[in-house]
Amino acid sequence: MNLLPAPGAEMSESNWQSRRHERRNHRQYPWFRQHGSNRPHSQSGWNASPSLQVTLTVSRCNTRPQQRLQDSGHGDDEAPSTSSSTAGSSSVPDLPGYYFDPEKNRYFRLLPGHNNCNPLTKEGLRHKEMESKRLQLLEEEDKQRKKIARMGCNASSLLQKNKLGFLNVTSYCRLAHELRLSCMQRQKVQIQSSDPSALASDRFNLILADTNSDRLFTVNDVKVGGSKYGIISLRGLRPPTFRVHMHENLYFTNRKVNSVCWASLNHLDSHVLLCLMGIAETPGCATLLPASLFVSSHPGDRPGMLCSFRIPGAWSCAWSLNIQANNCFSTGLSRRVLVTNVVTGHRQSFGTSSDVLAQQFAVLAPLLFNGCRSGEVFAIDLRCRNQGKDWKATRLFHDSAVTSVQILQEEQSLMASDMAGTIKLWDLRTTKCLRQYEGHVNEYAHLPLHVHEEEGIVVAVGQDCYTRIWSLHDGHLLRTIPSPHPTSKADIPSVAFSARLGGFRGAPGLLMAVQQDLYCFSY
């Protein structure tokens, strides 16, 4: 007699085998129990079936054997720590097309980013994570916690080592300066102007301090489009008020400012050299603006001495203080370097194989150093009248486009930064890299680099809107300063550091301009 199975018996056997298979997976992959089967699928943001979860989880483990071996010592009740590129701080596997929300303890599907109302995009999640980190750092800054520049660098330790003879005078002064640098506090600067409404609407694009650090040239983006210029007098930059005055001018342009530098035509820093990008039928140009157009600090200045040179597509510019290239400036063009004499109008052209994005003249030797989009850094001997085989005096190479070059005072070393976030100190005699400064963030932006040998520091603002300060002597990262405003690629802070802010009797400090605000980080 054939016995038929009772109704539902086949289904019960299938469920029993499924549960047996599930328990076996739990023993092999203990973290699956924590983030997988114990979550009701009706409440989870991850709408995949249980079988799909098992497949994805097992596949994830098979692709990371080193991680599985590393976490083999964990018990069944502890999940191994695997980092998620999206969530960052959560200890869950990274599933393609999904992200794990640690607050809600569940997965959510990432949708295409073309919908501006959709918050679940990689860019939005990354911005949220960066903003959370920035607010946390700002909270620590506001609490005025005493920061330590490096391990063992505190006042009592330095004094004790100095008394015992473990530190010479140079090392003691350098470490003491680092200690003061790590304790800089942020103060908002009050800007006085004849047009207060413009200060509330115009956004800082860049700031540039002159040689004596008593003036600050500013380029501001205006609402109607284009840029306007001003000069801020820093003589009133004193605690506790930190007040400065903005001297504006009606000179206005609707073209992008590619590069700016101070120029010494009549006297030290008598003019400002700007490179303007051409638009439509209007060609690009290099313009010399007298500083007396903004504020007449020298009676001998003549406001009429305004020069403009038609130069197509200038990426960078530099003013020469070398006696053999007196009254000359250089502009870096697309595949060409152009050296122009302001007084005579004579021009000297040098062909290159790439766009020239950064330039600086040497003072002791008649050399012009250039950084190219190809990653090459080379020097032009200005005494060469032709483009023979000897016109390139020095050649160095980076792996990405060079955005800034800075020559050190003895002119035996050069520092360069590129679009990969690499900052290197080069020996010009041996053409070898002496030191590398880690932590700078850059992907494609044209960001400047600030080197201050007197204070022994290197300052750079990354594309993540963080200002980082390194020790020039050993490359140690001394300070990371978050932006006072939410991070944005359009609001990267512009900074200026000086050993004497406000003039000869000024104190060391850092100026930071972002959006409509100006901040001072002083000792």
Side-chain angles (χ1 to χ4, degrees), residues 159-167:
L159 289 175
Q160 185 178 5
K161 291 179 180 179
N162 186 40
K163 290 181 180 179
L164 295 176
F166 294 156
L167 294 176

Side-chain angles (χ1 to χ4, degrees), residues 51-109:
S51 60
L52 178 59
Q53 295 184 30
V54 174
T55 304
L56 291 176
T57 319
V58 174
S59 175
R60 182 63 179 177
C61 291
N62 291 334
T63 58
R64 303 184 70 171
Q66 296 180 356
Q67 184 70 32
R68 187 173 65 252
L69 292 176
Q70 179 181 355
D71 297 327
S72 59
H74 288 274
D76 290 344
D77 297 332
E78 184 179 358
S81 175
T82 57
S83 63
S84 172
S85 61
T86 308
S89 60
S90 60
S91 57
V92 294
D94 186 13
L95 302 180
Y98 297 88
Y99 95 101
F100 182 79
D101 192 331
E103 297 179 359
K104 298 182 179 180
N105 196 29
R106 65 186 65 174
Y107 282 95
F108 288 90
R109 185 181 182 89

Side-chain angles (χ1 to χ4, degrees), residues 215 266-267 270-271 290-292 295-305:
R215 292 177 300 172
N266 301 337
H267 51 79
S270 62
H271 288 67
S292 57
V295 52
S296 182
S297 57
H298 296 272
D301 282 349
R302 290 178 291 174
M305 293 187 63

Side-chain angles (χ1 to χ4, degrees), residues 28-221:
Q28 294 179 1
Y29 311 105
W31 53 269
F32 172 76
R33 180 172 64 254
Q34 180 177 355
H35 299 289
S37 60
N38 66 339
R39 188 179 306 117
H41 301 293
S42 59
Q43 298 178 2
S44 173
W46 185 18
N47 297 322
S49 62
S51 60
L52 178 59
Q53 295 184 30
V54 174
T55 304
L56 291 176
T57 319
V58 174
S59 175
R60 182 63 179 177
C61 291
N62 291 334
T63 58
R64 303 184 70 171
Q66 296 180 356
Q67 184 70 32
R68 187 173 65 252
L69 292 176
Q70 179 181 355
D71 297 327
S72 59
H74 288 274
D76 290 344
D77 297 332
E78 184 179 358
S81 175
T82 57
S83 63
S84 172
S85 61
T86 308
S89 60
S90 60
S91 57
V92 294
D94 186 13
L95 302 180
Y98 297 88
Y99 95 101
F100 182 79
D101 192 331
E103 297 179 359
K104 298 182 179 180
N105 196 29
R106 65 186 65 174
Y107 282 95
F108 288 90
R109 185 181 182 89
L110 288 173
L111 302 177
H114 63 273
N115 185 2
N116 294 331
C117 299
N118 173 33
L120 302 182
T121 60
K122 289 186 177 180
E123 186 68 23
L125 294 172
R126 182 186 177 192
H127 185 270
K128 180 180 178 181
E129 183 181 354
M130 292 178 59
E131 183 64 13
S132 176
K133 179 181 177 182
R134 185 189 70 87
L135 293 176
Q136 182 180 358
L137 291 177
L138 279 179
E139 184 179 357
E140 295 179 1
E141 295 268 353
D142 294 337
K143 290 180 179 179
Q144 298 182 355
R145 296 178 180 175
K146 188 175 182 181
K147 303 174 182 62
I148 302 300
R150 65 179 79 199
M151 189 63 65
C153 184
N154 53 67
S156 59
S157 176
L158 291 181
L159 289 175
Q160 185 178 5
K161 291 179 180 179
N162 186 40
K163 290 181 180 179
L164 295 176
F166 294 156
L167 294 176
N168 55 29
V169 177
T170 304
S171 299
Y172 174 77
C173 294
R174 175 169 57 87
L175 292 175
H177 170 68
E178 290 183 7
L179 183 61
R180 295 194 303 269
L181 185 71
S182 64
C183 298
M184 293 191 306
Q185 299 296 326
R186 182 182 72 252
Q187 297 286 341
K188 189 173 182 179
V189 179
Q190 300 180 20
I191 305 176
Q192 299 175 343
S193 174
S194 57
D195 188 5
S197 60
L199 294 177
S201 59
D202 300 343
R203 302 159 65 92
F204 283 104
N205 188 353
L206 64 88
I207 58 175
L208 183 66
D210 63 356
T211 305
N212 296 326
S213 300
D214 57 359
R215 292 177 300 172
L216 200 68
F217 182 77
T218 66
V219 178
N220 297 75
D221 295 334

